[in-house]
Amino acid sequence: MNMPAQASGSAAEPDGLEDRLQRFATIWSRAVFPVTATSLTRPEIERHLLPLARDLSDALHARPFDPAPAHRVGAALVAAHCTDPDALSRTLGVVDSYLVLYCGGDGKSAALEELRARCARLQHALAAGFAQALRERTLVEQEAIARSALLARSFAEQALHATEARFRAVFEGATIGIGIADLDGNILEVNGALTRMFGGLEHHVRGRKVSEWVHPEDAPHVWKLYGELVRGERDDFRVEKPFYRGDGTVLWTNLTVSLLRDSDGRPQYQLALMEDTTERRLLNLRLRYEATHDALTGLPNRTLFFERLDKVLSSGHGTRFGLCYLDLDGFKAINDSLGHAAGDRLLVEVADRLQSVATRPGEMVARLGGDEFVALTTGKDTEQQADELAHRILGALATPIRLDGRELTVRGSVGIVEGPAGERGPAEVLRSADITMYRAKAAGGNRFERADPEADARAITRHGLTTALPAALDRGEFFIEYQPLVHLGDGSVHGAEALVRWCHPQHGVLGPDRFIPLAEHTGLIVPLGRWVLQEAVRQARFWNRSHADGGPLRINVNLSPTQLHHPNLVADTVDVLERSGLDPGALCLEVTESALIGADEDLLKPLRQLAEMGVDIALDDFGTGYSNLANLRRLPVSVLKLDRSFTQSMQRHPIDPVDLKIVEGIVSLAHSLELAVTVEGVETGAQAEQLRELGCDTAQGWYYARPGAPDRIHSLVLADAV
């Protein structure tokens, strides 16, 4: 509907409450007058609405707040014959747009937010009061119809014995439409109510045949029931049936047709009773629309989209579909910085643009919620159509959106699922599209990706592992394997690195690369890391007690970036060491080089505290980051652990002398800083000899032993002793 434009903040300043109420009532009356079935003029309706406006204003500011007056206002609208569904819609629009504006008070932001919330509740109460009053009115009319139907039937059955005068009184005085026809369907008599239903022209009704009143939306069984009635096989039937009026508009009715028999029981006439349900049906259609469309954007919502998708997927017969799942990139930042109201206006603009590009036959756009939209296309060549639709969607978002004087660049990530109907259900299709959309987002966004069953399976597996992680720790499904650290000088076992594994009930033994990133993402890495530390320290204490004659075996435990930032890192480590009795010098915590790039003093403080206690800190995977050698002096590390990429370069023949110089330089620098050097990934004796000549201190790799049970470390230490 066309609403008067809202005044600016300065123009809305009231001269007085009564003046503002009068303005509000004026706007209200102009909105509902065109759809109100009444003989009142618009000024008279305005005077009628003024006290109702005052009730709404009082309820808006009442302490405590009570929406009941708005419920009564809704009922008062029905009492004033404002029963058109559009009258309710327009009333709610006026209340939403102008009640707080004209009756909101001083305009303080905090108060306005409360008043808007109250206004929303008043709208709900008003709508409820309107619906309840309309229902009660309908029930009263239905009761009157039922009474009239019984009277009409009684008079029809006693037609041979009743007087014409009494019959006419009932016939013409009934508030429902009544018609009488012979068994051939010729309409013989109609009352005034039925004539008015069909536009007030009696010649459009009388003299016609019942069979002429066919409508495309007739239920298949309607005319079957009619045939049974005129043949005398049933006495009555009741259906909901539409009719065309003379002007082409549709009249919806509850139709009851009864068979009138003569005194010998032979069928003689048919009696039709009609209740006009057009208004109620329009209201139901309006409610259905609101239930299946997004209130903010007007697009079909999740409910309607799933209905459409389910219908497409179950159609079969060579039908194909293409689904584009769109998620806006960085929308949360817009909400956080500009507010949710600005975010809503942005979503409305995005919805308008999507509608403007998805206009081809078989295409539809819906909003699933938040900043997630879907577009559906159907046809014979949906593989190409889906790609084109995705291009159109991203193209529609390419133009910046102006919002509150700002130009906002909107980007989106699109996941495409395409294929034949009948193979998958709506939930499976949408899940695949969602997974694919996140793959496009992970690739940088502002792009689309096509669904890949293998990628979907990996994502589903990752999700399953993520949800199973907490219970897996409680059930004791994790275990530790140990890989020995060997002195390059004499080949003796120096210690071992603890490597956690997951014995998954379905997937078998999983390496850390399969679940450590998931544990990092969910935060479970902190309790899991503490458990690994406890188990590894306990095992190291056992080894050192068993081999008291030799030097202490060191245990290396990896620290994740999340653990490094955890405030209880130092306290937990101290607690584990004290409980086990292991000397701090037998523990080495490995931190990746990338985790310490650009680290400030706050991040380095817990590592310094641990180093001061005697715990060794190893810089793991050195050489994979920026390798800022000058930065080594400020880091509290005592061990430099070269990445396996250095040893892999030594597998080539001949060995690149540049690679040797690099390793030699790093080792020399590390030793000058009093750092020990450990090398990973040693797989051959030649590699081990070369690294020993370059001055590396310790090494680990498959050449010495693969990760295994703690008993293997025990055996290796015994072998060294012999």
Side-chain angles (χ1 to χ4, degrees), residues 160-228:
L160 295 177
H161 311 289
T163 66
E164 181 68 20
R166 290 183 62 193
F167 171 76
R168 285 296 168 191
V170 173
F171 188 74
E172 293 298 339
T175 58
I176 62 171
I178 304 176
I180 300 176
D182 60 24
L183 297 181
D184 293 327
N186 299 306
I187 299 174
L188 306 176
E189 294 287 343
V190 293
N191 69 348
L194 190 144
T195 302
R196 288 190 294 273
M197 288 182 190
F198 283 89
L201 300 176
E202 188 173 342
H203 67 273
H204 283 167
V205 182
R206 192 191 300 271
R208 296 180 63 184
K209 279 185 171 290
V210 172
S211 57
E212 296 176 20
W213 281 347
V214 177
H215 189 278
E217 293 191 34
D218 283 338
H221 66 287
V222 169
W223 294 102
K224 176 177 179 293
L225 295 175
Y226 177 78
E228 294 173 354

Side-chain angles (χ1 to χ4, degrees), residues 294-538:
D294 178 50
L296 176 65
T297 64
L299 291 177
N301 62 12
R302 178 183 289 269
T303 300
L304 184 56
F305 175 75
F306 263 88
E307 290 178 5
R308 172 71 184 277
L309 181 60
D310 183 59
K311 184 177 180 180
V312 170
L313 295 179
S314 59
S315 61
H317 305 299
T319 302
R320 297 185 68 87
F321 74 95
L323 186 147
C324 297
Y325 192 116
L326 167 70
D327 184 89
L328 301 183
D329 298 334
F331 178 73
K332 184 178 184 299
I334 295 176
N335 265 347
D336 292 344
S337 59
L338 302 182
H340 288 275
D344 286 348
R345 294 200 298 275
L346 178 71
L347 291 175
V348 171
E349 175 63 24
V350 169
D352 291 342
R353 293 189 180 188
L354 295 180
Q355 278 190 303
S356 69
V357 299
T359 57
R360 297 180 181 177
E363 293 181 349
M364 74 170 292
V365 176
R367 182 188 178 205
L368 297 184
D371 59 334
E372 296 179 336
F373 299 84
V374 295
L376 180 67
T377 181
T378 58
K380 299 296 184 183
D381 186 19
T382 52
E383 184 172 1
Q384 180 180 354
Q385 292 171 6
D387 286 355
E388 292 176 354
L389 181 57
H391 278 297
R392 279 182 271 144
I393 289 172
L394 295 178
L397 299 179
T399 304
I401 295 177
R402 292 195 61 82
L403 199 65
D404 295 336
R406 298 179 176 87
E407 273 199 356
L408 300 179
T409 300
V410 181
R411 293 156 45 97
S413 300
V414 179
I416 299 177
V417 177
E418 186 277 334
E423 294 184 354
R424 291 175 285 185
E428 184 181 356
V429 168
L430 207 63
R431 180 180 62 180
S432 178
D434 188 26
I435 292 171
T436 307
M437 178 272 295
Y438 276 107
R439 195 149 45 82
K441 193 176 288 287
N446 198 33
R447 58 184 293 148
F448 67 84
E449 294 283 348
R450 297 184 64 84
D452 177 2
E454 293 184 1
D456 287 359
R458 289 194 297 271
I460 293 170
T461 300
R462 283 196 302 271
H463 176 73
L465 293 177
T466 301
T467 56
L469 269 171
L473 184 58
D474 294 338
R475 290 195 295 261
E477 294 177 1
F478 293 99
F479 66 96
I480 299 176
E481 290 186 332
Y482 299 88
Q483 186 170 35
L485 290 163
V486 177
H487 273 296
L488 283 171
D490 57 11
S492 63
V493 176
H494 175 68
E497 180 180 0
L499 301 170
V500 64
R501 306 287 191 256
W502 182 3
C503 185
H504 193 280
Q506 284 80 40
H507 300 290
V509 176
L510 303 178
D513 58 312
R514 293 287 301 276
F515 61 87
I516 290 297
L518 305 180
E520 283 271 0
H521 180 70
T522 59
L524 190 71
I525 191 65
V526 173
L528 177 59
R530 194 178 196 281
W531 176 85
V532 171
L533 181 65
Q534 288 174 331
E535 289 297 305
V537 166
R538 181 188 60 79

